[in-house]
Amino acid sequence: MENKNEQILSKFQNEEKRSRKRMFLYTSIPLIITVVLIVISYLSVDNANTQVKVLEIQKQDLEVTIGELNNSVILKTDSLAEMRKVMELAINYKDKRHSFNFSIDKELFSVYPKQTRLLSEMRELIDDEKVKWHLGGNSLEKGFDSPSFATYMINKFAKTNIENNERYKLKEVLPNLDSSPEVGDLVFYEHGYAMFYFKYRGKPFVVGMTPIGLASLTLDFGPKIIGYGKVDY
Amino acid sequence: MDVDLYIDQIIQTYKNSIRFRIGFALLIIFIGLLIILLNAFNILTFPNEMKSLVSVSGTLVSSVCAFPIKEIVDRKNRIKLISELSEQHKHSTGADKKKLEELIWKFIEKNVLG
């Protein structure tokens, strides 16, 4: 009997030990689940925040790109509007042509020899119709735009030398004249025209490159005159 | 051995278990409250979006103390019952005493051993 009672007591004590272990196990399950959920949530939030940051950077890049494209569109729109004006004027040039022949050379040569040679060359080029209008071009083969042709002829006939990268800044490079240009000087017009000034028997005319090709035109052929540049011969 | 001695040993074992469980429950409550307080004072560096989740987790951890508390209550009830039976056994004589002794052992076998 005593042994049985001892056994019961022993079993009881072992059972208490086991119940302690069960308590640890049962309480640890929700704790482990909580920790796992916290970790998963943290990783998800962290990942989402990283993606948000990446998307914000992409958004900024896209905004910059949109800004640049907007500027580009504005520039192109302006350029198109400009070209439209130029083409409209080109259509009206035919009424503003000024014809000249060799008799001008004879009268001008004694006073303006180099300028006369310049004029002769341009007349030949007009007659040959070999030189074409080409926006950005700067050679006989490729063609010229107005300032490029003026630069080419100045470098060929005048003492003044214009660098190729300055050909679109002729108005800043050449000495300005307030008024009364002389034969061989440049007349600057709106829309970028740069035409050589000549005067024969009191009648001024200009020669230079236009969208319709090399032409001799009246001084007031269309666009507004914005200045004159002195060319040294 | 006298049955009273067995009963004393059983009660002592229960009391040790109760003390252990009280300590464990207090520890769990403390850990849960610590999580809540550290989160509230921004000492834990979790993203803002997780603040409320961490607070809820602290509460959940604290609430797990219900399990050891339940076992404490259970054991206290058993101590009370066994003490009652022991008291009855002490004040009884003859056949009643013997019956009570058998009853005590049966109770121990059934309730104590699980």
Side-chain angles (χ1 to χ4, degrees):
Chain A
M1 184 67 182
E2 196 120 327
N3 273 341
K4 190 186 170 191
N5 294 340
E6 289 288 338
Q7 277 177 2
I8 290 172
L9 189 63
S10 174
K11 270 190 190 175
F12 162 70
Q13 285 169 343
N14 288 338
E15 179 58 30
E16 273 302 297
K17 283 181 190 168
R18 277 198 292 272
S19 106
R20 214 177 272 189
K21 286 180 189 171
R22 276 200 300 273
M23 182 192 67
F24 277 129
L25 178 67
Y26 295 156
T27 52
S28 65
I29 289 171
L31 292 177
I32 288 169
I33 291 171
T34 303
V35 168
V36 167
L37 285 173
I38 293 280
V39 168
I40 291 171
S41 301
Y42 176 76
L43 290 173
S44 298
V45 168
D46 198 47
N47 186 40
N49 281 339
T50 305
Q51 285 185 358
V52 163
K53 281 178 190 162
V54 167
L55 287 170
E56 275 176 357
I57 291 170
Q58 284 180 359
K59 180 192 156 202
Q60 281 170 3
D61 290 342
L62 284 170
E63 281 174 351
V64 166
T65 305
I66 287 169
E68 285 171 2
L69 286 171
N70 278 339
N71 288 339
S72 180
V73 164
I74 289 168
L75 282 170
K76 288 204 184 328
T77 306
D78 290 345
S79 180
L80 272 171
E82 196 64 31
M83 289 205 57
R84 208 171 279 130
K85 280 184 200 168
V86 167
M87 294 312 295
E88 280 170 9
L89 285 166
I91 290 166
N92 296 324
Y93 284 171
K94 57 183 185 212
D95 298 330
K96 302 289 184 179
R97 286 193 184 267
H98 180 273
S99 58
F100 63 102
N101 53 33
F102 292 99
S103 57
I104 297 177
D105 295 22
K106 281 188 224 171
E107 289 196 29
L108 283 181
F109 188 81
S110 53
V111 183
Y112 304 105
K114 287 191 178 170
Q115 292 89 322
T116 308
R117 286 200 194 97
L118 165 72
L119 184 62
S120 290
E121 173 105 359
M122 287 195 289
R123 187 194 304 108
E124 276 178 34
L125 290 171
I126 291 170
D127 290 340
D128 291 345
E129 291 183 359
K130 282 184 183 168
V131 183
K132 303 290 176 196
W133 163 271
H134 182 92
L135 199 63
N138 61 350
S139 66
L140 288 168
E141 296 77 29
K142 210 174 175 181
F144 295 96
D145 51 35
S146 192
S148 302
F149 180 76
T151 302
Y152 172 78
M153 296 307 276
I154 287 171
N155 287 341
K156 192 170 178 182
F157 289 97
K159 283 184 190 167
T160 306
N161 187 59
I162 310 287
E163 296 293 332
N164 193 43
N165 59 357
E166 288 175 329
R167 66 188 199 273
Y168 294 114
K169 293 186 257 183
L170 286 172
K171 197 165 179 304
E172 286 90 34
V173 170
L174 294 174
N176 279 329
L177 292 167
D178 291 331
S179 62
S180 306
E182 287 197 20
V183 168
D185 288 339
L186 274 183
V187 183
F188 298 112
Y189 292 86
E190 270 183 346
H191 309 307
Y193 295 113
M195 311 287 276
F196 288 99
Y197 176 87
F198 294 94
K199 199 170 182 179
Y200 178 62
R201 291 186 182 174
K203 252 185 141 180
F205 64 98
V206 289
V207 183
M209 182 58 78
T210 67
I212 56 169
L214 267 178
S216 167
L217 303 165
T218 57
L219 182 65
D220 58 347
F221 67 90
K224 189 177 151 189
I225 294 173
I226 58 173
Y228 306 95
K230 179 81 190 146
V231 180
D232 191 19
Y233 287 91
Chain B
M1 201 195 292
D2 188 13
V3 71
D4 291 329
L5 288 172
Y6 281 118
I7 289 171
D8 286 342
Q9 279 202 22
I10 286 167
I11 290 173
Q12 198 51 50
T13 306
Y14 270 145
K15 283 185 178 173
N16 287 340
S17 288
I18 285 170
R19 273 195 290 275
F20 179 80
R21 279 164 173 77
I22 288 173
F24 187 64
L26 286 173
L27 179 67
I28 289 175
I29 291 169
F30 174 73
I31 290 171
L33 285 175
L34 189 67
I35 291 171
I36 293 168
L37 285 171
L38 289 177
N39 186 48
F41 290 115
N42 296 320
I43 295 169
L44 290 176
T45 56
F46 282 109
N48 284 336
E49 295 83 4
M50 282 190 63
K51 277 203 168 306
S52 49
L53 182 66
V54 172
S55 294
V56 168
S57 301
T59 311
L60 181 66
V61 166
S62 292
S63 66
V64 167
C65 70
F67 187 73
I69 287 173
K70 177 239 170 199
E71 294 198 335
I72 289 167
V73 170
D74 205 27
R75 274 151 184 76
K76 278 193 167 173
N77 287 337
R78 288 182 193 176
I79 289 173
K80 201 173 172 185
L81 202 54
I82 280 193
S83 299
E84 254 324 295
L85 287 171
S86 172
E87 224 23 65
Q88 291 280 333
H89 178 260
K90 276 180 192 165
H91 292 108
S92 59
T93 51
D96 287 343
K97 197 176 176 95
K98 221 176 167 65
K99 269 190 184 172
L100 272 168
E101 198 172 310
E102 281 172 14
L103 191 63
I104 286 170
W105 282 115
K106 274 188 184 167
F107 173 81
I108 290 171
E109 275 185 84
K110 194 176 173 188
N111 291 295
V112 168
L113 296 179

